[in-house]
Amino acid sequence: RLTKLVATLQGFQNPSIVAPHACDRTADQVVLVSRVVEGPHLGELLVRRGRYPAEIVAEIARQLAEGLDSLAARNLAHGDIRLANVRLTKPGVAVLVDAGIRSSIDSEITVHSGLAPERYDGTAPELIGANRPADVRSDLYALGCLLWQLLAGRPPYPGGDPLGKLAAHQTRK
C-alpha cells in the first residue's frame, strides 16, 4: 500500500503538504522518504504560547485547506491530521506532514489500534471501527477539530482515555 501511495503522489508538490516521494524496502523495514520541514509543530507552540489568535487560525486553516484540496484532486486524503503533524515554518507556512501514511498502514481506527490518546482527537465518527479509509470528509472533520484545538487551547473532547474520545466523537455534538 505504501508503494502504491508513493506512485500516486509522484510529482505532487504543495507548500502546505509533505507526502512521501520514495519507498524502499530492506530485509525487515520499509523506508519512506519525504522532504524535511524545519519548525515546531503546532502542539509544541500551543503548549508554549497558549491559544492562537483567530486571525492566525484562519490563515492556518486557509493554507491547510488548500493543501488538502490538492490531495483531493488526486483522490487522496491525508488521514492523520493532528497538531503533531503540522509544522509552522519561520516564514509562517503551515505544513501538514506524513500525507497518506497512517491510512496506508492501518485503515481501521479502533480503541485497540494502540495509538496515544491525542491521536484520536480528530477522528471522524464514520471511521471508527468501520474499516474504511480516510476520505475528504474525514479530513475536513479532523481539520475542524484541529482548528478548534488551536482556538480553545484544548481538543474538542479532552481526556486521556481513547475509548472515551472515540465514544464522544460518535455520540456528542
Side-chain angles (χ1 to χ4, degrees):
R1 290 186 277 191
L2 291 170
T3 303
K4 181 181 176 185
L5 173 68
V6 169
T8 304
L9 289 165
Q10 200 66 36
F12 176 82
Q13 290 186 344
N14 185 285
S16 290
I17 301 286
V18 171
H21 58 79
C23 181
D24 195 15
R25 294 181 190 201
T26 63
D28 61 343
Q29 294 181 334
V30 175
V31 178
L32 292 173
V33 180
S34 61
R35 71 180 162 105
V36 174
V37 177
E38 298 291 332
H41 65 70
L42 295 182
E44 290 176 45
L45 295 173
L46 187 62
V47 168
R48 279 194 244 155
R49 298 180 182 165
R51 297 184 312 197
Y52 287 61
E55 59 275 358
I56 301 293
V57 175
E59 180 58 21
I60 290 170
R62 184 193 63 76
Q63 292 176 17
L64 296 181
E66 286 178 3
L68 291 171
D69 187 51
S70 67
L71 273 179
R74 290 188 178 227
N75 293 320
L76 289 173
H78 186 280
D80 194 17
I81 298 171
R82 56 194 171 95
L83 293 179
N85 275 351
V86 181
R87 303 282 187 274
L88 192 59
T89 66
K90 282 187 181 182
V93 178
V95 183
L96 188 55
V97 301
D98 296 343
I101 296 173
R102 178 79 214 154
S103 49
S104 292
I105 293 171
D106 184 14
S107 63
E108 185 172 18
I109 298 171
T110 69
V111 71
H112 304 293
S113 295
L115 304 174
E118 64 271 8
R119 299 285 298 266
Y120 298 98
D121 285 336
T123 303
E126 67 273 11
L127 294 183
I128 300 168
N131 199 21
R132 291 177 37 188
D135 61 20
V136 172
R137 296 167 297 180
S138 59
D139 272 359
L140 288 176
Y141 182 89
L143 179 60
C145 290
L146 181 138
L147 299 173
W148 165 279
Q149 194 165 357
L150 294 177
L151 289 167
R154 65 170 182 79
Y157 307 113
D161 176 29
L163 182 58
K165 285 180 183 272
L166 292 176
H169 282 290
Q170 286 187 312
T171 61
R172 293 176 57 195
K173 291 185 179 186

